[in-house]
Amino acid sequence: MSAWSKQDRFNALLSGERADRPIVSGWRHFIDKEQNADDLAEITISFTKKHDWDWVKINPRATYLAEAWDNQYDFTDYQTVFPRQKSTVIPTAERLWELEVKKATQTPSLQEHLEAVRKIRQGLPDTPLIQTVFSPLTVLLFIVGRSAYVTKTVFGIEQPVTLDSLFKEHRAAAHHALHVISLTLADYVQELRQAGSDGLFYAVTGTAHPGLFDEARFDEFSRPYDSIVLEAAAYGKNILHTCGAHAKPEKFNDYRIDGISWDTVAEGNPGLDADLKATKVGGVDHGLFAANDIIQIRKQAKDALAFMKDQPFILSPNCAIPLNVTDEALEQFKNIIFE
């Protein structure tokens, strides 16, 4: 190939092939610019152009999928990247039966993000972009006001429904809810294709952590519903993100995914030498960007590129970049790819 485009590199690397070079991107929340399609599109386009990222992970507000079922949040009051949850439509597990399938084109929060994708595609016509979609299990936890991470609680919810109530005492209702959510997300994913998305950044968040779900419970309540959403996204290139400590990236070797992102330095996680089938995405501790530790950012990026030099690889932070990152830190990180 005489001249590689951004799309060429993205498609090749996520097909398990080599390109003329690895590619690089970073993503972060802009919590004052994520409440409507125009602002989200504008900041995503400007952030991408400023740093000339090779591809884009769209970073919508963390609650947008739970909002599809009318959860209410206070967008003037954030804890890190999570707005305070004011109410849940499912305060008790018995009411999971009330959840109904939504059409993306008729659901305000999904309509809003389809419009954002269209606008981002118009502003970045030649840059690969993928939309962030949480797994049905993660969305269910958000809806009922439970955290999708083992050590955290939802901002605004003091007494969430217990996991045993959801998945043991009301097991059939949980399966109903997860099926409803997965069908809704599958419809949304199909609409994303029409809006201009090249695939998904599919986040199972912290649900692979054994302290939250053991193997059997994860396989029962996540795996079949993940399959429904990922099957709907088969038209594109899909990167799965398993978040935090004990994230078990090898657990997803049989998933229909093209790339996998995980925290290579968190407790209980393998490094870049992990035995994974999908193209590896990551290599740099996202926490380093909170301190804007340019020396260590550069070192980890160089080490990752050297280790992965004979394999298809996408350099990125291991998770979302903290809000206080500086432009200099991002520029130093991005420029490593060309040194």
Side-chain angles (χ1 to χ4, degrees):
M1 187 177 294
S2 56
W4 288 78
S5 68
K6 289 184 175 182
Q7 198 76 52
D8 291 334
R9 293 187 185 101
F10 183 78
N11 288 337
L13 292 169
L14 286 171
S15 297
E17 302 168 1
R18 300 283 299 279
D20 62 332
R21 63 169 174 83
I23 59 176
V24 61
S25 190
W27 49 89
R28 53 158 294 185
H29 283 273
F30 293 89
I31 59 175
D32 58 337
K33 298 288 187 180
E34 62 179 26
Q35 279 77 55
N36 62 72
D38 287 343
D39 283 351
L40 179 59
E42 181 183 357
I43 195 64
T44 302
I45 293 165
S46 63
F47 180 65
T48 302
K49 288 183 174 179
K50 176 185 284 187
H51 300 290
D52 194 22
W53 299 122
D54 287 315
W55 59 285
V56 179
K57 172 208 178 293
I58 301 172
N59 236 42
R61 60 183 180 271
T63 56
Y64 88 105
L65 294 171
E67 291 169 43
W69 284 273
D70 299 322
N71 270 23
Q72 299 296 310
Y73 298 89
D74 182 353
F75 298 115
T76 68
D77 189 8
Y78 272 76
Q79 189 176 81
T80 62
V81 300
F82 292 95
R84 181 170 60 81
Q85 186 165 339
K86 297 194 294 184
S87 66
T88 169
V89 293
I90 308 295
T92 61
E94 298 98 312
R95 293 182 59 181
L96 289 171
W97 293 108
E98 298 174 17
L99 288 186
E100 296 180 345
V101 176
K102 303 284 188 177
K103 292 291 291 181
T105 56
Q106 299 168 17
T107 304
S109 69
L110 302 182
Q111 286 178 314
E112 174 193 337
H113 286 82
L114 289 170
E115 181 61 19
V117 172
R118 282 190 284 269
K119 290 177 179 293
I120 294 166
R121 171 51 70 212
Q122 291 167 4
L124 300 169
D126 303 317
T127 303
L129 61 93
I130 58 177
Q131 173 64 305
T132 301
V133 171
F134 295 120
S135 70
L137 181 56
T138 293
V139 176
L140 175 60
L141 293 174
F142 283 175
I143 288 173
V144 302
R146 280 209 66 90
S147 176
Y149 301 91
V150 69
T151 60
K152 298 180 181 179
T153 58
V154 167
F155 181 37
I157 302 295
E158 294 183 2
Q159 293 183 313
V161 176
T162 67
L163 292 177
D164 276 351
S165 178
L166 286 171
F167 300 113
K168 188 175 180 181
E169 298 163 20
H170 298 279
R171 181 175 172 185
H175 277 296
H176 162 77
L178 288 163
H179 193 224
V180 162
I181 295 167
S182 63
L183 293 178
T184 300
L185 295 183
D187 177 68
Y188 172 57
V189 164
Q190 286 290 309
E191 294 295 339
L192 282 173
R193 181 182 192 178
Q194 305 305 316
S197 179
D198 293 304
L200 304 183
F201 189 87
Y202 186 76
V204 301
T205 57
T207 57
H209 193 298
L212 193 61
F213 294 103
D214 63 25
E215 191 100 9
R217 188 172 276 187
F218 183 92
D219 287 349
E220 178 180 352
F221 291 102
S222 192
R223 184 174 291 270
Y225 305 106
D226 295 332
S227 296
I228 291 172
V229 182
L230 290 170
E231 180 67 27
Y235 60 83
K237 295 299 185 186
N238 302 305
I239 297 171
L240 182 141
H241 177 66
T242 176
C243 197
H246 301 282
K248 298 186 176 296
E250 67 282 352
K251 192 180 185 66
F252 303 97
N253 271 340
D254 63 343
Y255 269 48
R256 189 169 185 164
I257 56 174
D258 307 288
I260 186 156
S261 160
W262 78 103
D263 192 334
T264 55
V265 301
E267 180 184 359
N269 287 352
L272 287 174
D273 58 346
D275 185 15
L276 305 176
K277 293 183 178 179
T279 298
K280 295 168 184 176
V281 180
V284 178
D285 179 3
H286 57 287
L288 294 173
F289 293 89
N292 292 293
D293 188 342
I294 291 173
I295 292 174
Q296 283 301 311
I297 290 168
R298 287 179 54 84
K299 180 181 186 305
Q300 286 194 11
K302 283 185 174 183
D303 288 349
L305 290 169
F307 184 81
M308 296 296 296
K309 65 182 176 65
D310 296 322
Q311 302 174 55
F313 179 57
I314 296 177
L315 179 67
S316 76
N318 289 335
C319 198
I321 299 165
L323 302 181
N324 62 335
V325 67
T326 64
D327 285 345
E328 182 185 5
L330 291 176
E331 281 303 298
Q332 290 278 348
F333 166 65
K334 188 252 177 171
N335 289 335
I336 290 290
I337 209 88
F338 302 106
E339 293 180 3

